[in-house]
């Protein structure tokens, strides 16, 4: 007998498999039920095809693919979170009478589904349009190879493509770069507020303003206590996943110790209730604050769960709107949170889709994309996305391979291309802000928005580290990262690699901003008030050198006029010293060896 292509090593999951076996479909189930494919990021029965008929008439297919897990050195806690939520979702559906075909495979999702459909005589599978570009490509190939799928719109989103194109028009490569002003997110957000009626009264924004962003910029200095979030200790299913991931993906990024994230719908709901009652009332004013003693502050930490569809954005937005109406959440906090979900999250996803994952931009590309060296991880033999049997020898012989459709986009409008240094892997640099945030990412696979933007990405911009490498790092290191959200956030908002499509100016700062918005500098060996000389903070010299280096591209940007006016007033002697300090700082960061995968 030939070995079946998708026969997997038996998973270390006796507890889970013994529980899910009973839900495996009979021949009659297969004939009589409507069959739905549930991808690895859509664990909801509250909307979509799964909610359209009674449980006894529903069947679902779930694929646990090791090919996907091996594609990048994903944080171990991210893998535990995904796999445990996947297994718990399967059991939750089985408990309400849904027939569950749960399949382990070393193949990609598409190829595993194709073989499964053939072997089990499954009818056409319905699925919501996948959020990830990678999955869309994988399924498209499987459909070409014979998989029968019927795709319907994904109703977990708050908007559909037309909501975006009716504001900006469809994206055109030739117009995209010159027409950047029109992608200001606020236009989409206002249109969505009007269309949805969220935080609107008599066709006017509640409180008279669409945005209260200007009110939301305070540092945190203990004004109100920071509540302790609930913990979700692993149950038997999650413990089994922790053991499995710890063994199979031991070489991946991040710590697996102390995993305590929600993995059931009930726990996800409990986490949201806590955020709604205890965090969001104080979210707005301290949204941009950073602390080394309160890393989460008042952020909801919902992103990983919204991106898995455990939380539905409409429900979160409506809950917050109602709480604001009852004065349980101040309007500025409620609006700040709603803007993230109704505005930024939807906007980013459309921009990614419209530009084919930032591949259609008319901007300079990195000449040597190092992203290829980062992925897939060392178990690539099992990864059919990128690896055929012929591929390794082709590499050795330097035979040109066809372009990999899964390779990431490599825009670099500012010409940044230096390798990402070891500090992003947790090697201590002595920069207290960086060391604190990276330690949190290694530990938890998460940090809040301003740490991502104004510490991790800021340093990368200032030094000229490769935007693609930074994107890939965020992608595997963060529990909430998927291509549709991480690429626009990093290549667009955070690094300006897209030349201004997503943000009107680069988010860069010297030490003054970090010092004002955090307590990091108070615990650092460097002095945020000194820009050159012994003990000077590297951020400030790097900032001025960044402006100088990019003067041709950014010098006329109307939002950069103030810093450029200051730069122009600096003497040549000052600029020489700043350049020297900045080169020294980059050399220091590059001097540590980066772990390989
Ligand atoms: C460099 C960089 C990389 C990022 N990578 C990701 C990523 O991989 N995945 C991800 O979900 N978010 C990403 N973001 C956006 C944002 O930082 C996170 O969504 C947020 O910090 C998650 O924390 P929270 O759940 O406490 O969100 P809150 O601050 O409480 O915000 C509420 C919700 O708004 C949504 N949201 C807020 N901002 C954004 C945004 N810019 N894009 C999309 N959704 C947003 C999230 O789903 C979140 O659940 C990135 C931002 C930057 C600057
Ligand atoms: S002094 Fe500079 S390096 Fe140190 S924490 Fe502040 S900004 Fe970061």
């Amino acid at each position: 007998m030939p070995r079946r292509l998708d026969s997997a090593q038996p998973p270390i999951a006796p507890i889970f498999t013994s529980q899910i076996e009973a839900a495996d479909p009979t021949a009659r189930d297969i004939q009589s039920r409507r069959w739905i494919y549930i991808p690895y990021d859509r664990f909801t029965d509250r909307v979509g095809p799964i909610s359209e008929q009674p449980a006894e008439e529903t069947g679902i297919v779930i694929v646990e693919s090791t090919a996907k897990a091996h594609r990048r050195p994903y944080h171990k806690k991210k893998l535990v979170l995904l796999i445990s939520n996947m297994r718990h979702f399967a059991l939750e559906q089985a408990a309400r009478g849904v027939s569950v075909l749960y399949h382990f495979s070393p193949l990609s999702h598409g190829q595993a589904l194709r073989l499964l459909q053939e072997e089990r005589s499954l009818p056409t599978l319905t699925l919501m349009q996948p959020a990830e570009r990678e999955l869309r490509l994988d399924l498209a190939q499987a459909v070409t190879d014979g998989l029968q799928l019927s795709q319907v719109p994904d109703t977990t989103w708050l908007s559909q493509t037309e909501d975006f194109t009716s504001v900006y028009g469809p994206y055109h490569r030739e117009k995209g770069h010159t027409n950047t002003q029109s992608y200001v997110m606020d236009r989409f957000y206002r249109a969505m507020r009007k269309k949805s009626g969220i935080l609107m009264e008599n066709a006017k924004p509640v409180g008279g303003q669409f945005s209260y962003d200007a009110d939301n910029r305070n540092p945190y200095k203990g004004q109100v206590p920071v509540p302790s979030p609930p913990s979700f200790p692993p149950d038997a299913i999650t413990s089994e996943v922790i053991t499995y991931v710890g063994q199979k993906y031991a070489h991946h990024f991040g710590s697996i110790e102390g995993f305590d994230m929600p993995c059931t719908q009930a726990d996800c709901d409990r986490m949201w209730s806590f955020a709604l009652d205890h965090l969001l009332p104080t979210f707005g004013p301290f949204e941009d604050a950073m602390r080394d003693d309160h890393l989460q502050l008042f952020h909801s930490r919902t992103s990983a769960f919204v991106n898995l569809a455990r939380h539905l954005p409409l429900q979160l937005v409506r809950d917050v709107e109602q709480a604001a109406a009852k004065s349980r959440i101040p309007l500025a906090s409620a609006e700040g949170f709603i803007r993230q979900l109704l505005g930024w999250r939807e906007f980013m996803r459309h921009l990614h889709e419209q530009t084919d994952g930032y591949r259609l931009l008319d901007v300079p590309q990195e000449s040597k994309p190092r992203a290829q060296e980062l992925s897939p991880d060392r178990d690539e033999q099992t990864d059919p996305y990128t690896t055929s049997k012929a591929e390794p020898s082709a590499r050795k012989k330097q035979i040109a391979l066809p372009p990999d459709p899964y390779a990431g986009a490599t825009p670099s409008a500012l010409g940044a291309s230096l390798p990402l240094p070891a500090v992003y892997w947790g090697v201590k640099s002595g920069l207290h802000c960086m060391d604190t945030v990276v330690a949190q990412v290694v530990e938890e696979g998460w940090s809040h928005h301003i740490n991502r933007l104004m510490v991790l990405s800021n340093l990368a911009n200032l030094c000229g580290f490769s935007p693609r490498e930074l994107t890939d790092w965020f992608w595997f290191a963060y529990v909430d990262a998927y291509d549709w959200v991480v690429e626009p956030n990093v290549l667009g908002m955070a690094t300006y690699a897209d030349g201004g499509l997503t943000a009107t100016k680069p988010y860069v700062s010297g030490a003054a901003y970090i010092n004002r918005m955090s307590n990091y500098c108070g615990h650092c060996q460097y002095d945020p008030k000194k820009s050159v000389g012994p003990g000077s903070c590297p951020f400030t010299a790097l900032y001025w050198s960044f402006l100088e280096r990019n003067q041709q591209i950014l010098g006329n940007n109307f939002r950069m006029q103030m810093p450029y006016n200051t730069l122009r007033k600096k003497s040549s002697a000052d600029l020489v010293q700043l350049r020297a300090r900045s080169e020294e700082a980059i050399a220091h960061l590059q001097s540590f060896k980066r772990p390989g995968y």
Side-chain angles (χ1 to χ4, degrees):
M1 280 277 285
R3 189 170 167 269
R4 253 188 55 167
L5 268 176
D6 70 336
S7 60
Q9 293 290 318
I12 313 169
I15 301 175
F16 170 67
T17 43
S18 68
Q19 290 184 30
I20 200 65
E21 259 162 21
D24 198 59
T26 60
R28 194 159 174 278
D29 288 327
I30 285 178
Q31 278 167 13
S32 62
R33 293 175 183 240
R34 182 185 187 198
W35 282 88
I36 295 149
Y37 167 55
I38 305 287
Y40 48 81
D41 60 355
R42 281 299 175 269
F43 303 135
T44 184
D45 60 10
R46 294 173 181 176
V47 295
I50 194 173
S51 65
E52 289 167 0
Q53 61 285 303
E56 324 68 77
E57 294 170 21
T58 309
I60 59 171
V61 182
I62 297 180
V63 175
E64 195 177 305
S65 152
T66 50
K68 176 73 176 169
H70 278 305
R71 182 148 177 78
R72 296 176 185 81
Y74 291 115
H75 198 300
K76 296 184 200 78
K77 283 197 173 114
K78 180 178 194 172
L79 291 176
V80 174
L81 181 79
L82 258 81
I83 297 172
S84 185
N85 267 283
M86 185 181 268
R87 292 183 185 178
H88 277 103
F89 181 73
L91 292 171
E92 287 159 14
Q93 295 312 306
R96 68 180 193 101
V98 170
S99 184
V100 182
L101 213 173
Y102 196 98
H103 184 63
F104 296 95
S105 174
L107 300 185
S108 74
H109 288 85
Q111 295 306 328
L113 277 178
R114 185 175 64 79
L115 293 177
L116 195 62
Q117 190 171 54
E118 201 178 294
E119 184 187 294
R120 300 290 296 259
S121 305
L122 285 167
T124 299
L125 298 170
T126 304
L127 88 156
M128 294 197 286
Q129 197 207 8
E132 275 217 296
R133 178 183 178 275
E134 275 200 0
L135 183 59
R136 291 200 293 273
L137 290 182
D138 174 24
L139 292 177
Q141 181 59 53
V143 167
T144 305
D145 296 343
L147 173 67
Q148 287 173 24
L149 278 185
S150 161
Q151 199 164 284
V152 297
D154 180 346
T155 44
T156 64
W157 297 108
L158 289 164
S159 61
Q160 297 297 333
T161 305
E162 306 72 54
D163 295 312
F164 184 85
T165 51
S166 66
V167 174
Y168 306 106
Y171 179 82
H172 293 295
R173 185 191 187 122
E174 53 292 359
K175 272 195 356 193
H177 191 218
T178 51
N179 199 19
T180 53
Q181 293 308 323
S182 59
Y183 283 95
V184 171
M185 194 286 289
D186 195 55
R187 288 180 58 200
F188 173 74
Y189 174 55
R190 285 174 185 237
M192 286 305 297
R193 287 273 298 274
K194 288 180 194 158
K195 185 186 168 198
S196 64
I198 289 163
L199 281 189
M200 298 292 287
E201 214 170 36
N202 303 325
K204 296 250 158 47
V206 172
Q209 282 172 234
F210 276 103
S211 170
Y212 291 85
D213 203 19
D215 300 353
N216 287 349
R217 289 178 190 157
N218 298 335
Y220 177 76
K221 293 186 174 163
Q223 296 90 325
V224 282
V226 180
S228 300
S231 167
F232 302 92
D235 63 7
I237 299 284
T238 304
S239 299
E240 194 168 64
V241 178
I242 292 172
T243 308
Y244 166 64
V245 169
Q247 289 176 8
K248 192 166 175 67
Y249 303 99
H251 56 293
H252 277 216
F253 183 87
S255 159
I256 201 168
E257 298 306 316
F259 179 92
D260 71 343
M261 284 183 264
C263 293
T264 64
Q265 186 62 57
D267 281 352
C268 291
D269 290 345
R270 193 153 68 86
M271 183 193 184
W272 169 239
S273 296
F274 174 84
L276 188 64
D277 293 343
H278 301 287
L279 299 173
L280 290 184
T282 334
F283 170 69
F286 306 114
E287 200 179 329
D288 288 359
M290 300 174 279
R291 297 285 302 196
D292 61 4
D293 49 355
H294 293 295
L295 294 163
Q296 180 176 343
L297 277 172
F298 304 97
H299 289 264
S300 67
R301 245 184 146 114
T302 45
S303 52
F305 304 94
V306 190
N307 295 350
L308 288 177
R310 281 301 207 175
H311 300 321
L312 293 179
L314 183 62
Q315 182 207 332
L316 305 196
V317 162
R318 288 284 181 214
D319 286 353
V320 171
E321 186 188 32
Q322 276 172 20
K326 290 179 189 153
S327 303
R328 289 194 352 242
I329 299 181
L331 183 57
S333 284
E335 189 281 318
F337 184 82
I338 287 172
R339 181 158 18 93
Q340 311 304 322
L341 278 171
L342 184 64
W344 280 112
R345 185 172 183 271
E346 301 281 322
F347 173 80
M348 291 305 205
R349 161 251 173 167
H350 289 303
L351 212 42
H352 191 259
E353 194 180 64
Q354 291 284 311
T355 58
D356 191 24
Y358 281 55
R359 279 156 188 80
L360 302 182
L361 311 186
D362 204 5
V363 295
Q365 303 287 309
E366 275 188 60
S367 48
K368 182 181 172 294
R370 249 173 305 269
Q372 309 282 337
E373 292 165 19
L374 275 177
S375 68
D377 78 15
R378 69 180 183 202
D379 207 354
E380 65 177 353
Q381 289 298 333
T382 59
D383 185 350
Y385 278 126
T386 53
T387 314
S388 70
K389 287 235 158 65
E391 197 175 319
S393 55
R395 271 200 199 134
K396 263 184 233 149
K397 288 186 205 155
Q398 308 253 306
I399 295 172
L401 293 165
D404 173 4
Y406 300 98
T410 55
S412 186
L414 301 179
S417 65
L418 291 179
L420 200 66
V423 55
Y424 288 84
W425 276 260
V427 175
K428 297 289 175 218
S429 64
L431 282 69
H432 183 62
C433 49
M434 272 302 283
D435 292 346
T436 303
V437 181
V438 172
Q440 185 191 14
V441 180
V442 170
E443 189 52 38
E444 304 173 15
W446 185 88
S447 65
H448 79 61
H449 185 71
I450 298 301
N451 283 315
R452 300 186 202 204
L453 191 66
M454 297 311 296
V455 177
L456 299 169
S457 306
N458 187 18
L459 184 73
N461 290 333
L462 298 183
C463 294
F465 299 144
S466 152
R468 183 66 237 174
E469 281 200 29
L470 185 70
T471 309
D472 287 330
W473 179 82
F474 270 107
W475 195 344
F476 64 70
Y478 275 73
V479 291
D480 56 15
Y482 300 86
D483 61 16
W484 65 266
V485 62
V486 78
E487 290 188 321
N489 269 296
V490 187
L491 296 173
M493 177 189 277
T495 61
Y496 202 76
D498 63 357
L501 183 79
T502 320
T504 46
K505 73 173 185 65
Y507 283 93
V508 283
S509 82
Y513 176 86
I514 298 176
N515 194 23
R516 188 169 68 250
M517 294 309 297
S518 77
N519 71 340
Y520 296 153
C521 303
H523 301 148
C524 185
Q525 61 172 319
Y526 296 115
D527 183 347
K529 301 224 159 72
K530 276 179 80 177
S531 51
V532 292
S536 57
C537 168
F539 271 87
T540 306
L542 283 164
Y543 174 71
W544 294 117
S545 300
F546 169 90
L547 290 181
E548 200 186 12
R549 189 169 74 236
N550 293 299
Q551 193 153 4
Q552 270 210 321
I553 303 172
L554 301 173
N556 292 327
N557 183 314
F558 73 101
R559 294 192 64 198
M560 304 286 285
Q561 286 318 297
M562 269 184 28
Y564 271 109
N565 286 340
T566 315
L567 179 77
R568 284 179 201 116
K569 287 183 196 141
K570 289 199 183 290
S571 69
S572 317
D574 282 351
L575 289 175
V576 167
Q577 279 194 308
L578 288 167
R579 252 177 257 143
R581 176 68 184 106
S582 136
E583 279 162 22
E584 180 190 48
I586 296 173
H588 168 69
L589 291 169
Q590 298 282 17
S591 67
F592 304 102
K593 191 168 155 27
R594 194 170 86 175
Y597 287 100

